[in-house]
Amino acid sequence: MEFLYEYGLFFAKVVTFVIAVIAIIAAIAGAAQKQKHKKGELEISDLSERYEDIEHHMLESLLSKDELKQREKELKKQHKEQQKKQKEGEQESTVRLFVIDFKGSIDAREVDSLREEISAVLSVAKQSDEVLVRVESGGGMVHGYGLASSQLDRIRQQQIPLTIAVDKVAASGGYMMACVADKIISAPFAILGSIGVLAQIPNFHKVLKKNDVDFEQLTAGEYKRTLTMFGENTEKGREKFLEELEDTHQLFKQFVSEHRPSLDMAQVATGEHWFGLRAKELGLVDDIQTSDDYLQSAAKDKKIIQIKFETKKGIAEKLSKAASMSVERVVGKLWQNNRIFPS
C-alpha cells in the first residue's frame, strides 16, 4: 500500500513537470508566432520636454525664490499671449525638428530601421519642418550605403530641409549619406571624406599548390569571376577587377558632385579623410558644430521629436542572451571565489 502511495506521488510529480514543460514550450511558440507578425515598433520621444525639464531643474537650483516667482510670471504672460494669438488665428503652426540616428555597420543593415523611420516622418512632416540625421559610420558595402543614401534622398524629394550632423565619423559610405543633405554640420575633430573604393581579397593558391590540393572553378561568361581566393589569378582578371573598382569610384564621385557641386572633386576624391576643421576648408561640411549645440539652439523655437524604429529580438536571440548572461554571472562568481593573488 505504501509502495502504491509513493508511486502515485512520484507519478503526480512527473505529470506536473511534463505539463509545466509543455506550458513553457507553448508560451515560447506563441511568442515566436507573434514575432513573425511584428518585426519592430516605432518609438517617439519628445526631446523638447527633456530640454525644458533640464532647464527648469537647473534654474530651481540656481535662482532665488523671488527670481523663480518672477520667471513664472513671465512664462504665464507668454503663455497667455500665445493662447490669445491662437484664438485670433495669428499664431503660426509649431515648427518641428525630427531627429533620427544612424550608426552604420559594414553591411549597412541599419538601413532597414532607417527606411521605417523616414517613412514615419514623411507621413506627417511639412515643408516648414526639418529633419536632422546624426550619422556615424566609417562606410562599408556600396549597395548598402547606396540604399541608405537613397532613403535620405526621399526627404529631399519632399522638399523638407535635411541636416546631417557628424559628431564622430562619416567616411566613405558614411559621407555618401551625408552629402545628400541640404546642410552638413560637423564636430571639430570628426572624420569625414574617404571618397574612394577599397577591395581586399586573400589568395590561398600557393598554399594549396604546396600541399598538392587542386582547385577547380567553372564559370559561364568571361568575367563571371575576375579574382578568386583559391585559384591562380590572371593579369587579365586583375585588370578587369581594377576596371570595376574605378567605375564604382567614378559613380561615387558623380553622386557626391551632384549633391555638392561646389566641391573640387580632384582634390577631395583621393580616398583621403580629414578632420572637421579641415573638411570645412575643403567644402565637405558647412558648419563646425556638434549635434548637441544644434539641438539645444533649435529647442528655443522648434518642437524636437526623436524617431527610432526598434527591431524586436527573436525568442532564440533572447534566450541566447539570457543564457550568456547567466554563464557570465557564474564565471564571475567562480573567479571571485577562486582568485589567485600575486605573491
Side-chain angles (χ1 to χ4, degrees), residues 4 12 67 74 109 126 128 145 177 189 212 219 257 297 332:
L4 291 175
E67 289 172 327
E74 292 174 356
R109 60 183 175 274
K126 302 175 183 177
S128 57
Y145 280 92
M177 293 178 66
F189 289 94
D212 296 325
T219 62
S257 182
S297 177

Side-chain angles (χ1 to χ4, degrees), residues 19-38:
I19 292 173
V21 170
I22 293 172
I24 292 170
I25 293 172
I28 293 174
Q33 187 66 25
K34 289 180 181 178
Q35 179 68 26
K36 290 179 182 178
H37 298 293
K38 190 176 183 182

Side-chain angles (χ1 to χ4, degrees), residues 109-121:
R109 60 183 175 274
E110 296 80 8
V111 74
D112 291 334
S113 295
L114 180 66
R115 72 202 310 175
E116 297 285 352
E117 291 157 357
I118 289 175
S119 294
V121 169

Side-chain angles (χ1 to χ4, degrees), residues 210-237:
K210 183 179 178 181
N211 291 277
D212 296 325
V213 178
D214 291 330
F215 172 77
E216 291 187 12
Q217 180 175 263
L218 307 177
T219 62
E222 185 179 2
Y223 296 116
K224 179 61 179 177
R225 180 71 67 229
T226 52
L227 296 184
T228 173
M229 292 175 61
F230 301 104
E232 184 176 5
N233 289 317
T234 65
E235 195 60 37
K236 188 176 182 181

Side-chain angles (χ1 to χ4, degrees), residues 26-88:
I28 293 174
Q33 187 66 25
K34 289 180 181 178
Q35 179 68 26
K36 290 179 182 178
H37 298 293
K38 190 176 183 182
K39 66 174 183 177
E41 60 183 16
L42 205 63
E43 294 181 2
I44 303 172
S45 306
D46 190 337
L47 296 186
S48 294
E49 288 185 0
R50 178 189 167 196
Y51 284 114
E52 288 174 5
D53 290 342
I54 292 172
E55 182 183 1
H56 184 69
H57 181 69
M58 291 297 296
L59 290 173
E60 279 187 339
S61 303
L62 297 173
L63 297 181
S64 64
K65 290 183 179 179
D66 292 336
E67 289 172 327
L68 281 172
K69 286 180 180 179
Q70 182 61 32
R71 176 173 170 77
E72 286 176 4
K73 286 181 181 179
E74 292 174 356
L75 290 174
K76 285 180 180 178
K77 185 179 178 182
Q78 290 176 6
H79 184 64
K80 286 181 180 179
E81 289 177 355
Q82 287 177 353
Q83 286 183 325
K84 185 179 178 181
K85 286 181 179 180
Q86 286 176 348
K87 288 180 180 178
E88 296 173 354

Side-chain angles (χ1 to χ4, degrees), residues 35-299:
Q35 179 68 26
K36 290 179 182 178
H37 298 293
K38 190 176 183 182
K39 66 174 183 177
E41 60 183 16
L42 205 63
E43 294 181 2
I44 303 172
S45 306
D46 190 337
L47 296 186
S48 294
E49 288 185 0
R50 178 189 167 196
Y51 284 114
E52 288 174 5
D53 290 342
I54 292 172
E55 182 183 1
H56 184 69
H57 181 69
M58 291 297 296
L59 290 173
E60 279 187 339
S61 303
L62 297 173
L63 297 181
S64 64
K65 290 183 179 179
D66 292 336
E67 289 172 327
L68 281 172
K69 286 180 180 179
Q70 182 61 32
R71 176 173 170 77
E72 286 176 4
K73 286 181 181 179
E74 292 174 356
L75 290 174
K76 285 180 180 178
K77 185 179 178 182
Q78 290 176 6
H79 184 64
K80 286 181 180 179
E81 289 177 355
Q82 287 177 353
Q83 286 183 325
K84 185 179 178 181
K85 286 181 179 180
Q86 286 176 348
K87 288 180 180 178
E88 296 173 354
E90 297 177 4
Q91 180 69 26
E92 296 181 0
S93 59
T94 304
V95 177
R96 296 166 298 185
L97 173 60
F98 296 96
V99 181
I100 296 173
D101 289 311
F102 182 88
K103 292 186 178 181
S105 55
I106 290 177
D107 60 357
R109 60 183 175 274
E110 296 80 8
V111 74
D112 291 334
S113 295
L114 180 66
R115 72 202 310 175
E116 297 285 352
E117 291 157 357
I118 289 175
S119 294
V121 169
L122 293 181
S123 68
V124 296
K126 302 175 183 177
Q127 292 182 359
S128 57
D129 295 326
E130 181 185 357
V131 179
L132 172 71
V133 180
R134 293 185 285 198
V135 173
E136 183 180 327
S137 174
M141 295 182 178
V142 176
H143 58 279
Y145 280 92
L147 179 57
S149 302
S150 298
Q151 292 297 325
L152 294 179
D153 199 44
R154 293 170 60 198
I155 300 170
R156 290 286 304 273
Q157 289 173 11
Q158 296 298 318
Q159 297 181 348
I160 298 170
L162 172 63
T163 300
I164 296 291
V166 184
D167 289 324
K168 292 182 178 179
V169 57
S172 194
Y175 190 76
M176 181 188 286
M177 293 178 66
C179 74
V180 176
D182 297 285
K183 180 170 64 177
I184 304 174
I185 62 172
S186 162
F189 289 94
I191 296 172
L192 299 106
S194 190
I195 303 173
V197 184
L198 170 68
Q200 298 180 100
I201 302 175
N203 185 267
F204 302 97
H205 172 68
K206 291 180 180 179
V207 176
L208 297 177
K209 187 177 180 180
K210 183 179 178 181
N211 291 277
D212 296 325
V213 178
D214 291 330
F215 172 77
E216 291 187 12
Q217 180 175 263
L218 307 177
T219 62
E222 185 179 2
Y223 296 116
K224 179 61 179 177
R225 180 71 67 229
T226 52
L227 296 184
T228 173
M229 292 175 61
F230 301 104
E232 184 176 5
N233 289 317
T234 65
E235 195 60 37
K236 188 176 182 181
R238 290 190 187 91
E239 289 175 0
K240 180 60 179 176
F241 194 83
L242 285 169
E243 182 184 322
E244 291 171 351
L245 282 183
E246 185 59 36
D247 184 51
T248 305
H249 190 208
Q250 290 299 326
L251 289 172
F252 191 177
K253 292 193 290 184
Q254 182 181 340
F255 184 84
V256 175
S257 182
E258 286 174 357
H259 289 87
R260 294 186 75 85
S262 60
L263 284 174
D264 181 353
M265 295 308 297
Q267 186 177 15
V268 301
T270 58
E272 298 172 82
H273 65 266
W274 294 271
F275 291 118
L277 292 167
R278 296 286 180 263
K280 186 177 185 303
E281 294 173 1
L282 294 168
L284 291 165
V285 302
D286 300 299
D287 291 311
I288 299 299
Q289 188 179 26
T290 65
S291 63
D292 303 293
D293 289 331
Y294 193 83
L295 288 173
Q296 198 160 15
S297 177

